[in-house]
Amino acid sequence: MEQIKNFIGGQLIDSQSDRISSIFNPATGQEIRRVALSTVHETKHAIESAHLAFNEWSKTSPLKRARIMFKFKSLLEENCDRLARLISEEHGKIYSDAVGELTRGLEVVEFVCGMPHLQKGEHSANVGTGVDSHSLMQPLGVCAGITPFNFPAMVPMWMFPIALATGNTFVLKPSEKDPSLSIELAKLLQQAGLPDGVFNVVQGDKEAVDVLLTDPHIHAVSFVGSTPIAEYVYTTASAHGKRCQALGGAKNHSVLMPDADMDMAANAIMGAAFGAAGERCMALSVVLAVGDEIADELVEKLQQQISQISVGPGINDGMGISKGKENDMGPVISEQHKAKICDYIRSGVEQGAKLLVDGRGYQVAGYENGYFVGPTLFDYVTPDMKIYKEEIFGPVLVIVRVPDYDTALKLVNHHEYGNGAAIFTRDGETARQFSEDVQAGMVGVNIPIPVPMAFHSFGGWKRSIFGPLNVHGNDGVRFYTRMKTVTSRWPASVRLEHHDSHFVMPTME
C-alpha cells in the first residue's frame, strides 16, 4: 500500500518511523494509503534543511521570488482537477467545494505575486539636518506551519506563499488524516523553480509538532485547529521565543432580523451550515431568530430544503470541472468524528432541544461503510446547552429564539468564541450598528460566511485566535517579516574635530 513520504531538501524521503497512521476514504471507510509519523530526528532534518537554505533564499531578489510564485500559480491552475480529486478522496468534501478551496488558496498566491511592492518598507528624507530614515521589512528565518484536516490546500496556502515570497524558508506539518496534497504542493513548488530546502514537508503528529514549537532554528509558527491545541501551540511557541499566530475554534452566529429577505437568508444559511458537512471554522452553526414569527418561517423553509439535500460521495463517476452532477454534501472526516457529532446530537435531545431533523444513522446506498452524518436541525435551543456552547464541527444547525436585537447581540458577544458573525436584515442602520458592536473578527451583512479575500486578513477575536496578527493580507506580510529602521547621515567631510560628543537624546536637529 502506498505510504506518503516526507519532502526534505527537495527530495521525497521515506520515514524510518515505526508509527504508522492509516489514511481512509471517508466516503467508503476503506484504507487507501498510509503515512509514517516522523521521528524527532526526521523533523529536525527538515528544519536543518530549511535553515541551510535560508541565507541564499533570503538574499534572492523579491522580483525573482515573485516570479516563482507566478509559475506556481500557473501550475496550480493546470493541475486543479487532479488536486481537487485528491482532496475529495482523502477529505470527503464534494468536488466543487475542493475546487473552491484551491481557488481561495490560489488567491493568496496571486496576492504574494505583488510582494516586491508589499515588502518595500518606508522612507523619509531629511528627518534631521542631512539625516534620512528608511525601513526594511526583512524575513525572519525558518517558519513552520501546522495545518488541519478540513482544508488541506487552502490553509497551508494561507501561510507558506507569504512566508516564501518575503524570503523565509518553511516547514509544513499537515494533518495526518489527509497529507497527500501537501506533497503535491511541494512538487509543484519545485517544478516552479523553488530552490531545494526552501520548502519542506514533514508528516507527523504531536511528536513532530513539539519539535517545531521548541527547536531554536524555528522563528515563527502558524497554526489552525481547535482552541485547546491553539492555546497549547501559542503558549509553547511563545515560551521558546517564537512569533506565533494560532487560530482556534468557532461558534459562528447569525442574527436573523424580522425584516430580512427570508428566501435569501434561508438559502444562505443552508449552504453555510451544511456545506463541507459543517467542517469549516467559518461554518454557520447558530441562528438567533428575532421573534417567534420569523423563527417559524425559517424553520419551515429549512426543513423543506433539508429534505432535498443529496448526501453522498464527494466525487461521482464522470465528475470533473464543469462536468457531471454532484451531491450537495459529503461525509465527515473519520469514524471517530462521526461518533463525536452523533454524541452532540444525543446531548441536544437529552438537554431538551427540539430535534426537527436527525442526521444520525444516515445511509448512502453503495457507501454503507462511509462516515456520513445527515444535515441536522435543532429548534428551541438555549444558551446553557452543550450544542450551543461548544463547536460541533459537523452538519448540525441550532436555532435560538430571542425576543429582540439587543438580546441577540448580547448572546453573540458573551460567547467565548468570536471568529465570525453575520446579520440578515434590510435595515442599514441595524447592519451598521451590528458591524460596529459585535465582538467578532469577521462580520457578514447578508453574507453568511464572511471570509475575507486574500488582500484582507483572516482572523477572529476572543478564544478564536491567539497572537496579535491574523493570516494573509497585510497582517500576513507583517507576521513573516520584521521591521528594521535605518537612520543615516553622510557628512561631506569626516573630520573628528568638527564633531563634538553629545550625551543627551539625539533630536536630529
Side-chain angles (χ1 to χ4, degrees):
M1 182 171 286
E2 179 187 4
Q3 182 164 301
I4 304 304
K5 304 176 187 291
N6 291 327
F7 187 89
I8 300 175
Q11 296 183 334
L12 291 169
I13 299 177
D14 286 312
S15 172
Q16 302 304 307
S17 173
D18 58 1
R19 298 187 304 124
I20 307 297
S21 181
S22 296
I23 303 166
F24 295 92
N25 181 331
T28 64
Q30 295 178 338
E31 183 183 25
I32 53 175
R33 297 178 188 92
R34 292 176 182 171
V35 61
L37 305 177
S38 297
T39 64
V40 169
H41 174 75
E42 290 164 345
T43 307
K44 286 185 174 292
H45 182 201
I47 296 170
E48 181 65 18
S49 175
H51 175 65
L52 292 174
F54 172 71
N55 186 57
E56 184 174 351
W57 178 245
S58 64
K59 290 179 171 54
T60 301
S61 76
L63 184 59
K64 290 182 179 179
R65 297 197 297 256
R67 285 172 179 162
I68 291 174
M69 290 295 108
F70 270 112
K71 180 61 175 175
F72 180 53
K73 169 187 177 294
S74 296
L75 291 170
L76 285 170
E77 291 169 335
E78 292 170 15
N79 290 273
C80 181
D81 180 72
R82 178 176 64 86
L83 297 176
R85 287 174 174 276
L86 183 57
I87 293 170
S88 184
E89 181 186 30
E90 287 191 353
H91 174 273
K93 65 179 62 177
I94 62 173
Y95 176 85
S96 62
D97 195 26
V99 171
E101 171 184 347
L102 284 164
T103 301
R104 293 310 297 260
L106 180 66
E107 289 166 358
V108 180
V109 180
E110 292 172 334
F111 170 69
V112 305
C113 288
M115 195 55 70
H117 172 74
L118 297 168
Q119 203 175 350
K120 283 192 305 188
E122 301 168 335
H123 181 269
S124 295
N126 297 312
V127 297
T129 304
V131 177
D132 302 326
S133 285
H134 71 276
S135 62
L136 307 173
M137 297 175 68
Q138 295 186 314
L140 305 174
V142 183
C143 301
I146 304 163
T147 56
F149 72 82
N150 60 321
F151 287 105
M154 185 184 75
V155 171
M157 285 196 282
W158 281 354
M159 302 173 184
F160 72 77
I162 303 179
L164 299 182
T166 51
N168 300 280
T169 56
F170 204 84
V171 178
L172 173 65
K173 204 300 287 182
S175 169
E176 60 271 30
K177 292 182 174 66
D178 47 5
S180 297
L181 203 281
S182 64
I183 297 299
E184 296 305 313
L185 294 176
K187 291 177 182 177
L188 294 181
L189 282 167
Q190 187 177 54
Q191 189 177 342
L194 192 72
D196 292 346
V198 175
F199 181 77
N200 306 271
V201 179
V202 60
Q203 312 294 350
D205 57 1
K206 185 178 184 297
E207 187 171 303
V209 167
D210 284 341
V211 176
L212 297 175
L213 299 181
T214 58
D215 189 282
H217 286 319
I218 297 289
H219 290 269
V221 177
S222 299
F223 172 85
V224 175
S226 68
T227 285
I229 306 302
E231 188 168 22
Y232 169 79
V233 166
Y234 179 75
T235 55
T236 306
S238 298
H240 286 82
K242 305 182 192 313
R243 185 175 293 188
C244 186
Q245 53 182 191
L247 280 67
K251 195 71 176 180
N252 303 309
H253 291 59
S254 66
V255 176
L256 182 65
M257 297 298 293
D259 66 341
D261 181 327
M262 278 301 299
D263 289 332
M264 181 272 289
N267 290 336
I269 290 166
M270 284 289 297
F274 303 122
E279 292 177 324
R280 294 171 174 158
C281 66
M282 287 297 286
L284 190 60
S285 53
V286 178
V287 177
L288 301 172
V290 178
D292 285 332
E293 184 177 346
I294 198 77
D296 290 341
E297 186 178 355
L298 176 66
V299 164
E300 182 180 353
K301 288 181 180 295
L302 292 180
Q303 286 183 288
Q304 181 181 2
Q305 293 194 36
I306 288 173
S307 68
Q308 299 171 3
I309 287 181
S310 61
V311 180
I315 295 181
N316 292 329
D317 292 338
M319 272 303 301
I321 294 178
S322 300
K323 299 176 184 177
K325 169 138 176 54
E326 65 179 345
N327 293 303
D328 299 310
M329 200 177 92
V332 298
I333 187 65
S334 67
E335 188 173 12
Q336 294 80 8
H337 191 55
K338 173 183 175 180
K340 182 180 179 181
I341 295 168
C342 291
D343 282 344
Y344 273 111
I345 298 172
R346 176 186 52 79
S347 168
V349 173
E350 290 178 350
Q351 291 189 310
K354 185 176 181 180
L355 181 59
L356 301 177
V357 182
D358 189 351
R360 294 174 294 180
Y362 203 97
Q363 291 287 311
V364 177
Y367 295 87
E368 287 77 11
N369 294 322
Y371 312 135
F372 293 98
V373 179
T376 299
L377 180 63
F378 278 102
D379 195 3
Y380 294 98
V381 174
T382 57
D384 61 323
M385 295 179 180
K386 187 177 180 180
I387 56 172
Y388 173 80
K389 292 189 292 185
E390 298 184 12
E391 182 180 38
I392 299 173
F393 220 63
V396 180
L397 176 64
V398 305
I399 297 174
V400 179
R401 297 176 178 235
V402 295
D404 50 43
Y405 167 83
D406 290 338
T407 303
L409 181 66
K410 183 178 179 180
L411 285 175
V412 179
N413 288 348
H414 281 194
H415 202 282
E416 67 170 321
Y417 295 128
N419 209 40
I423 187 168
F424 295 97
T425 181
R426 287 186 172 98
D427 184 74
E429 182 181 1
T430 302
R432 187 177 186 280
Q433 181 182 348
F434 181 79
S435 301
E436 288 268 331
D437 295 341
V438 69
Q439 294 181 21
M442 293 166 283
V443 182
V445 176
N446 298 315
I447 300 288
I449 306 179
V451 177
M453 295 295 288
F455 38 88
H456 289 274
S457 297
F458 179 106
W461 284 15
K462 297 183 283 189
R463 288 182 59 77
S464 290
I465 192 170
F466 300 87
L469 292 172
N470 293 334
V471 295
H472 61 66
N474 288 332
D475 261 17
V477 177
R478 284 189 286 266
F479 179 79
Y480 287 113
T481 59
R482 53 187 166 190
M483 188 73 73
K484 177 185 288 181
T485 303
V486 179
T487 304
S488 59
R489 169 185 281 146
W490 296 97
S493 175
V494 180
R495 289 181 296 179
L496 186 62
E497 62 268 27
H498 287 177
H499 298 276
D500 297 329
S501 297
H502 296 278
F503 300 97
V504 297
M505 178 63 71
T507 61
M508 300 303 174
E509 296 179 354

